[in-house]
Amino acid sequence: MRSTPTRRAAILAGIGTVMTAAVLAAAHPTMATTTAAPPDISVTNVKAHLQKFSDIAAANSGTRAHGTPGYEASVDYVKGKLDAAGFTTSKQSFTHNGKTGYNLIADFPGRGDANQVVMLGAHLDSVTAGAGVNDNGSGSAMILEIALRYAAGTDAGTKSLRFGWWGAEELGLVGSEYYVDNLSATERTKIKSYLNFDMTGSINGGYFVYSEDPTRGAAIKTAIESAFTGRNIDPDDANLNSRSDHAAFIGASIPSGGIASLSLDPTKSAAQAAKWGGTAGAAYDPCYHKACDTLSNINDTVLDTIGDVAAVAAWNLAGIGAGTPTPSPTATATPTASPTPGGNTYTNANDVAITDNATAESPIAVSRTGTAGTVQVAVDIKHTYRGDLVLSLVAPDGSVYPLEDFANNDSTANVLRTYTVDASSEAAGGTWKLRVVDGASNDVGKIDSWGLTFAGATTSPSPTTSPSATTSPSSNVFTNAADVTIGDNTTVESPIAVTRAGNAPSALKVAVDVKHTYRGDLVISLVAPDGSVYLLEDFANNDSAANVARTYTVNASSEVANGTWKLRVADVAGGDVGKIDSWTLTF
């Protein structure tokens, strides 16, 4: 947030649009438009982004200020996350004080009405004195996580969401003003609401709503206040006197508002401390514009609450509600509804409860001769915190094949994945079990369903074995076993040329074998021949395990099969490297 007030020199020329009451009403849906809950924004994931901003500052003289390598590295980190999730991003450059600055703009293609935009924004730069973790890493990390959850969803809504990260805010709102000034009159009128988030995790913070334009900002203010009320929180009004990036949008007659965790008052009042907690008479942020604005300067509860409220307000204003965002973007396959004992696939769709600190098992009786060979294990688990879980496949003779240990640091809900197991030493016939160990308290769930598919014409090889060095153009399986080095803060790709008629299947199997010393740095995607990007996994920067050996299922039925497919791996941090060892496509 800027330390001194500023006003735009003049009203932007060329707008020429007077928004009537009827236009305003059409631009803002009522709260009743949402029929499904917006995503719960994981504070763990937001804190992981803040950790990256902190690491970037530490590697760049302790700052992420305009014109410094730390600022551009921050932009590139956010851009890498968005690109991997399927956003169309634009890195808009400008010059201020003789230094190049950047805005980053992100739209999700094909989602919502591009002529009606609800925009969320936050400034990404810090002051030169420090890393700016609260001011304004907090707002930037929060809307990044909201954007990633939006990308993981399926509901288009009546309007589209756009996200913006502004440069040089601390030097006079330079980046946001540059963005607005360079919009055509037509593009300005497409932005129906702008929501600003500047300092959303103050250590002694509270909950403040601002619009500063009572007529145009009324619907935004109502949406935000309703979201707070739904959490039994009574927010206060604030007037930031145009000291943050919403000022540029207000100057362009774009409906604007926002949330902050502090006001312009120097200290928290006794009444505010009584209803929100914290220390009365103390500053909301004692490290404002200081070197001590680090990770220790963040109030997790405030940051978590504002993130959830922001998502609710944005979802309501955009009319998103016909569907629920996908909890896990890593797999889309659903086991078949009933077992087929004479075929390759066997399923158990009976619910099995998963309770705290307990082990649950779900059996499947297989009537099949010979050895098991390569087995696909499709898992559908509903659980409120999968970081508690360890998954295994138990063979009829009691042999245990680990599927996944979520390492107690994955705050995402649910597991919807397909694993590949080399069970060639096992007899296929007998009772197989999915074993789920819940190793912690406070979160429970159920095995919703799971399935076994034994090797056949459409089964992909295990990613833990070395795929064939060559491909057969007439087969279902195409592999690239050539190593591709993954360096720090780089994006690499490994190609596979597919010669095959028709479209790709709705259950395209992507077997990935990546060697890496810290997979929490990685974002993995499949790129189709036409350039479409399918996110396979974002390890959320908090998974400290090594390597990735998994099979993902992608609905690629809209894609032509023939052409060059690519596995894209983005390493978004320093300190750990690796390689794409091999990967396989099974059509």
Side-chain angles (χ1 to χ4, degrees), residues 26-38 111-113 116-118 120 150 154-161 192-193 223 311-324:
H28 299 289
T30 65
M31 296 305 102
T33 57
T34 293
T35 59
R111 187 74 63 81
D113 184 350
Q116 298 190 77
V117 176
V118 174
L120 283 69
Y150 177 59
T154 58
D155 193 335
T158 58
K159 299 180 177 68
S160 62
L161 291 186
K192 305 305 181 185
S193 305
V312 170
W315 258 242
N316 275 289
L317 289 167
I320 302 171
T324 303

Side-chain angles (χ1 to χ4, degrees), residues 388-470:
D388 292 351
L389 304 181
V390 179
L391 280 57
S392 304
L393 175 68
V394 183
D397 67 355
S399 299
V400 178
Y401 294 83
L403 300 178
E404 184 129 26
D405 180 346
F406 283 96
N408 301 303
N409 59 3
D410 188 333
S411 62
T412 309
N414 307 332
V415 182
L416 184 62
R417 292 182 178 172
T418 299
Y419 303 92
T420 302
V421 173
D422 181 359
S424 55
S425 64
E426 303 290 341
T431 299
W432 296 73
K433 299 176 184 177
L434 178 66
R435 177 179 293 166
V436 180
V437 178
D438 184 308
S441 301
N442 300 325
D443 290 89
V444 297
K446 66 179 180 178
I447 301 172
D448 198 29
S449 64
W450 73 290
L452 289 170
T453 299
F454 291 85
T458 60
T459 304
S460 66
S462 168
T464 60
T465 61
S466 297
S468 169
T470 60

Side-chain angles (χ1 to χ4, degrees), residues 146-234:
I146 292 173
L148 296 178
R149 292 306 305 274
Y150 177 59
T154 58
D155 193 335
T158 58
K159 299 180 177 68
S160 62
L161 291 186
R162 177 179 297 167
F163 299 86
W165 289 262
W166 313 119
E169 187 269 359
E170 298 290 3
L171 301 178
L173 317 181
V174 178
S176 56
E177 292 195 356
Y178 182 86
Y179 171 76
V180 173
D181 286 348
N182 283 276
L183 290 172
S184 67
T186 299
E187 290 301 315
R188 289 182 198 133
T189 60
K190 290 180 182 179
I191 303 176
K192 305 305 181 185
S193 305
Y194 173 73
L195 283 70
N196 194 63
F197 303 96
D198 191 349
M199 303 179 69
T200 58
S202 299
I203 192 70
N204 190 38
Y207 306 108
F208 294 91
V209 182
Y210 55 91
S211 64
E212 300 178 27
D213 186 344
T215 300
R216 293 188 179 92
I220 296 173
K221 189 169 185 288
T222 298
I224 294 171
E225 289 176 341
S226 296
F228 273 121
T229 300
R231 283 156 177 72
N232 296 315
I233 294 172
D234 177 23

Side-chain angles (χ1 to χ4, degrees), residues 67 87 102 104 113 143 152 216 232 251 288 313 349 356 372 398 414 447 454 496 540 546 556 567-568 584:
F87 278 91
Y102 300 96
L104 181 65
D113 184 350
I143 69 167
R216 293 188 179 92
N232 296 315
Y288 175 64
D356 285 332
N414 307 332
I447 301 172
F454 291 85
I496 289 179
L567 181 70
R568 177 180 292 167
T584 298

